Amino acid sequence: MDAIESDLVIIGGGGAGLRAAIAAAESDPGLSIALVSKVVPMRSHTVAAEGGAAGVIHPDDTLDKHFEDTVSGGDWLCEQDVVEYFIGQCTRELTQLEHWGCPWSRQDDGNINVRYFGGMKSPRTWFAADKTGFHILHTLFQASLKYPSIRRFDEFFCTDLLVEDGRVQGVLAFNIATGESVLLRCKAVILATGGASRVFGQNTNAGIVTGEGMGMAYAQGVPLRDMEFVQWHPTALPGSGILITEGARGEGGILLNKDGYRYLQDYGMGPLDPWPRPRAMELGPRDRVSQAFWHEDQAGRTVNTPNGSAVHLDLRHLGEKKIMERLPMIRELALTFAATDPVDSPIPVRPAVHYTMGGVPCDANGATPLQGLFAAGECASVGIHGANRLGSNSLAELLVFGRAAGESAARLARESTTAPANLEAQANEAEARHLKMLDTTEGERVAAIRAEMHDIMESGVGIVRDAERMGQACERLSALRERYRRGVKLDDRGRCFNTEWLTAIELGHTLQVAEAMAHSALARKESRGAHLRQDGFDKRDDENFLCHSMAWHQGDGPPRIDHAPVTITRSSPRERIYGRDSQPEQPAREE
Amino acid sequence: MSQTRTIVIECLRFHPETDEAPYYQSYEVPFTEEMSVLEGLQYIKDHLDGTLTFRWSCRMAICGSCGCMVNDEPVLSCQTFLRDYHPARIRVEPLAHFPILRDLAIDQTDFLAKLESVHPYLIPSTGDDPGDQPRHQTPDQVQDYLGYAQCINCLLCYAACPQYGLNDAFTGPAALALLHRYNADSRDAGKDQRMEVINAEEGVWGCTLVGECSEVCPKHVDPARAINQNKIASTQDYFLRFLKPRGRR
């Protein structure tokens, strides 16, 4: 097996990975940095983020408001000291992107323009039309080309973290094009592998968002934190799940049920007037808006489409000019994938899984409980999202904490004096395990196991949950993991560009992440943020559950769940109020 | 659910470990009204033949992974629909003008090297220090380059470009459009560094103005226009050099 030495290995080339790589390169140009990704960096899922990134810059906005919106939006499950750090760094990072050339949308006078997103007291979302993630990712990727110490391993698939003497000291990866393995030795690893939304079927995420980074850490004894908190984005196209940005509502779009009624007023986000105003109606937080859809659907007040029920997102009153200026991609997506022109008719939308609030626990420097391992971006649980992430906080997160992890990991690598461990035996054992899958002649197809996982998660761990269905999901996942272990039948037995084989390895990780989600959900006997139960635990229970869930890997068996304290600094839990009583300080938008 | 019909998808197959030359294989694929070519390929991979190899990710025309030739046209398979070809069969091949790694997956390393060669990042002037503030840029100034910043690096334009097909030393449409994106940015002062790429034989002068690149671009980037504007810049640069010799960097 080839071995390559680097000081630092970064797994994942999306926004967090690229920002970490640049930060590490800038902090010490002498460090060798390996940026390893299963896709060429500009294909990473950051590319699909649409609406924008949060940073206080509007004259009416303050850091305190960003703090309060984030902590109340997260239903008080946020690490408040980390949120404090985060809100203080967002604007600096978004400004840094401006200096690197990001085409932020501007006001007429040339200043940065910002818009409202859900759950915000003031407009805070920097945007580049409705392709913010695309522009951030390409700006970062292109800027990264200036740093000769960043060596890219494009289309290398990482399978295992290699731990010796209690420290991560290497990564096993396969070159996708050839199928050959490579041992990447290093002094520190940054996980920047993104979320795990593809655990579910109805999904806004790209096919690559499969959670194997979380799975790799989990398999090494790192707990996964708060995995039950899965975000449903309220507005995705039925069937395909393609995302229609919250920015559409930030610009004034409204949600209507089949009777043309703005139903959110019945779910604690009204009254209707005065409209628009912040933190009300369509500018409610994602958990509440998605849950309201579920109730409308149960009550039979949704619209039928060939791909299931939906409600209408109406943008017609914005007019063609504004739609073309602020939401051009939304118009194109609706035309291409829903045969609907939002200039003339409302877009049918429904909730779809969008974001993994939980992940690999780490501190504000990205350091995880495992020595030498850092995490940043969606794969991490740094603690800013709590039980429900606010829209626009994740793009800011991957910049703020990508940089923090890059700098911290660089420091660790620079100061590391321990002699490199012999990792060959471990790497060979892991390689053999993966290669053995190529010989399997019995068993089920990848697609069959994946479809079963989707069904389990959609039916058992959905928007609204109860003990019976979650319990069934846990049992079925356990049985499904057993079926996976018995064998995945592959048509493709070659090494070269064998995506069927790599998908099968990936699925092994994804199944365990699914199991961590289901068991964490079952153990949380309350409702908080995106975790909503209807079996007697329909209220928040701060006495027993103002705490993080921790899922611990137990080999072939189901995870062990325990709980860990939440850091509260200056905002004590209180009732989460939107709509009527949110007391806006000023009207939502001044034209 | 919408009605299911059947279409024949004929795919180019090539496995470097076992095949001496590419060949075609046909699959019968049931499809519904909204199914894309990509979803047809996924159906084959999931249910009929796990060896069929292709790239995809976002399935919403923004990641640039799924470019391929459908009936000789370079397209993104995720936003090309089977209904538009039925009842005829369709032929899916890897993007033209690139080496094949396997089946529909091409080798993109040549393009990535070209992308790097154009200094695709903001090069501010030496006196420009915005400190901790964003620079000003008016909406009109943003419009000067925003169109060229829409490139998703899907490589359809290289597959459509006859010049790149004849001589792959040509820097090519997407990389030259990206070069122009930075040159046209009011915050940038890196024109001189990029001029070498423009002036080279493989730079803008490699283009013979066929314009196919702009025709096939799924994001309306118009590389042909970017290249043409740089031909003007290159000509001016050529004459200016006689008037005002400039030290090489």
Side-chain angles (χ1 to χ4, degrees), chain B residues 166-221:
Chain B
L166 291 171
N167 176 11
D168 66 11
F170 176 40
T171 307
L176 287 169
L178 185 62
L179 179 152
H180 185 64
R181 171 254 176 274
Y182 282 101
N183 276 356
D185 191 320
S186 60
R187 299 167 294 183
D188 184 84
K191 273 199 185 67
D192 288 355
Q193 286 184 47
R194 299 188 193 100
M195 196 51 86
E196 242 173 89
V197 185
I198 293 179
N199 287 344
E201 207 175 317
E202 306 80 39
V204 289
W205 301 106
C207 165
T208 55
L209 274 183
V210 179
E212 283 293 323
C213 51
S214 298
E215 293 287 313
V216 301
C217 177
K219 296 291 158 187
H220 320 296
V221 171

Side-chain angles (χ1 to χ4, degrees), chain A residues 7-8 31 186-188 374 408-417:
Chain A
D7 290 305
L8 181 58
L31 288 180
C186 58
K187 296 167 181 165
F374 296 78
S408 313
R411 201 176 312 122
L412 182 83
R414 193 168 50 232
E415 289 165 2
S416 166
T417 50

Side-chain angles (χ1 to χ4, degrees), chain B residues 118-136:
Chain B
V118 303
H119 309 289
Y121 32 77
L122 208 67
I123 303 174
S125 66
T126 38
D128 176 22
D129 179 15
D132 59 0
Q133 295 299 312
R135 295 184 193 84
H136 278 72

Side-chain angles (χ1 to χ4, degrees), chain A residues 542-581:
Chain A
D542 287 333
E543 203 167 309
N544 295 302
F545 285 100
L546 184 57
C547 55
H548 296 297
S549 308
M550 311 295 274
W552 301 84
H553 189 251
Q554 305 291 307
D556 292 345
R560 174 171 64 81
I561 307 294
D562 59 20
H563 295 93
V566 177
T567 308
I568 309 261
T569 56
R570 61 180 168 108
S571 176
S572 302
R574 54 178 192 273
E575 197 188 345
R576 225 176 132 210
I577 297 170
Y578 295 96
R580 186 183 309 277
D581 303 313

Side-chain angles (χ1 to χ4, degrees), chain A residues 42-43 50 98-99 101 106-107 109-111 131 142 155 203 207 240 306 445 450 491-492 496 499, chain B residues 1 17 45-46 50 55 57 59 63-64 102 108 120 131 133 135-137 139 150 152-153 181-182 187:
Chain A
M42 84 289 268
R43 317 291 186 212
E50 295 171 353
E98 196 284 328
H99 295 171
R106 306 281 179 156
Q107 302 172 34
D109 64 3
N111 281 313
K131 293 187 183 175
Q142 289 158 16
E155 299 193 325
N203 199 318
S240 69
R445 296 183 73 87
R450 189 172 51 210
D491 295 339
D492 199 344
C496 147
T499 54
Chain B
M1 296 300 278
E17 288 166 3
K45 178 122 192 144
D46 286 352
R55 292 189 182 95
S57 181
R59 53 80 175 98
C63 78
R102 184 173 172 189
Q108 37 192 348
Q133 295 299 312
R135 295 184 193 84
H136 278 72
Q137 190 167 53
Q150 306 295 322
I152 60 173
N153 302 341
R181 171 254 176 274
Y182 282 101
R187 299 167 294 183

